[in-house]
Amino acid sequence: MCEYEPFTVCTRTEVMESVSQQLSKKRWAHCLRVEEQALKLAKHYDVNEKQVSLAALVHDLAKEWSIEKLQESAKLYRLPERFWNQGSEILHGPIASNWIQEHLHIHDSQIIDAVFEHTIGGHQMSMVSKILFVADATEQGRDYPGVEEARRISFENIDEAVVYLMKHTIAFLLTKDVPIFEDTIQIYNTLIQKKERKINE
Ligand code: GDP
Ligand code: FE
Ligand code: FE
């Protein structure tokens, strides 16, 4: 049965097995909860459920790879040089987005971009990408100050939810004394300028 055609000829069971074998039980459970939350949003916003389900199931598949394997893959997959020395936080999405092309034969640009962008967002996010980004941070297992508010906003205005969560992440990173990736800042600027333009329309 090919329930994910035309996005992949792999079955749901094959997708689930290929991802879950790379992850701890705990992180795989997170992926299933992201799928659940993402499907709620897909139904609400009338977005293709196959694309959203696939993107959610695979998004963190490289999260537990060693840093050596991630950085080596960054070169093999020809990611831009600024990615090469990044840590797992920044690399796991872009690497997963290449891995699913190679191993699951997923070539749909909305799914590929959504997985690539799921941690840092993107300058021109599709609805699939926005839904994955938001579902990742608001799945039912997430518990941080502001998560209820983020969930509420996500069903009212998905763009607002993306900006709310970007702000939340950057504010969190500032408290952690860690470098903020240049793309994170640039994407935040793009999104906040889009928001400003909408307000002034
Ligand atoms: P997860 O994979 O489900 O845990 O969620 P994400 O992929 O969204 O996030 C992974 C981690 O990356 C989170 O802890 C974020 O705080 C962190 N992160 C996001 N943007 C940046 C950044 O620009 N720099 C750094 N150092 N970390 C970031
Ligand atoms: Fe992630
Ligand atoms: Fe995740």
Side-chain angles (χ1 to χ4, degrees):
M1 202 192 7
C2 298
E3 56 271 80
Y4 282 125
E5 280 196 67
F7 303 108
T8 176
V9 293
C10 296
T11 62
R12 179 172 173 83
T13 308
E14 285 167 345
V15 172
M16 290 173 91
E17 278 176 3
S18 71
V19 176
S20 62
Q21 71 185 16
Q22 305 189 57
L23 294 174
S24 62
K25 283 209 168 68
K26 201 174 155 193
R27 198 170 307 276
W28 174 239
H30 157 73
C31 296
L32 292 174
R33 289 193 303 268
V34 174
E35 184 197 30
E36 201 181 320
Q37 192 71 21
L39 285 173
K40 284 186 202 162
L41 289 163
K43 288 186 178 89
H44 184 76
Y45 289 110
D46 197 19
V47 173
N48 188 297
E49 291 178 35
K50 290 184 187 182
Q51 283 173 302
V52 164
S53 160
L54 268 175
L57 289 179
V58 304
H59 80 284
D60 272 343
L61 72 86
K63 183 90 182 193
E64 292 172 4
W65 289 19
S66 70
I67 187 62
E68 290 80 16
K69 186 173 170 189
L70 283 168
Q71 291 183 343
E72 188 185 322
S73 305
K75 290 178 191 160
L76 287 174
Y77 285 137
R78 298 172 188 278
L79 295 188
E81 253 185 84
R82 63 183 185 283
F83 283 88
W84 293 4
N85 294 320
Q86 296 299 320
S88 162
E89 284 79 8
I90 299 304
L91 285 175
H92 75 281
I95 297 301
S97 92
N98 281 277
W99 194 93
I100 60 173
Q101 297 177 59
E102 191 183 342
H103 296 271
L104 301 178
H105 316 292
I106 295 175
H107 300 296
D108 177 68
S109 64
Q110 291 185 28
I111 300 175
I112 292 167
D113 291 347
V115 174
F116 192 105
E117 297 168 345
H118 87 262
T119 305
I120 64 171
H123 292 284
Q124 288 221 307
M125 297 166 83
S126 68
M127 273 305 284
V128 176
S129 184
K130 290 172 190 173
I131 285 177
L132 176 60
F133 186 85
V134 169
D136 188 20
T138 59
E139 54 95 342
Q140 297 301 317
R142 294 281 196 202
D143 184 19
Y144 52 85
V147 69
E148 291 289 351
E149 176 75 349
R151 280 192 197 113
R152 186 186 64 73
I153 301 171
S154 72
F155 286 93
E156 279 175 12
N157 185 327
I158 194 89
D159 293 305
E160 286 284 336
V162 172
V163 173
Y164 180 90
L165 290 164
M166 284 286 290
K167 280 188 186 170
H168 193 278
T169 299
I170 293 170
F172 168 76
L173 293 170
L174 290 175
T175 70
K176 288 266 156 194
D177 268 352
V178 292
I180 299 177
F181 187 44
E182 57 202 83
D183 292 35
T184 304
I185 302 291
Q186 282 168 3
I187 291 163
Y188 172 75
N189 286 344
T190 297
L191 298 179
I192 211 78
Q193 280 156 11
K194 272 191 194 159
K195 185 176 151 165
E196 251 174 39
R197 272 203 297 279
K198 269 199 193 128
I199 292 168
N200 295 330
E201 260 168 25

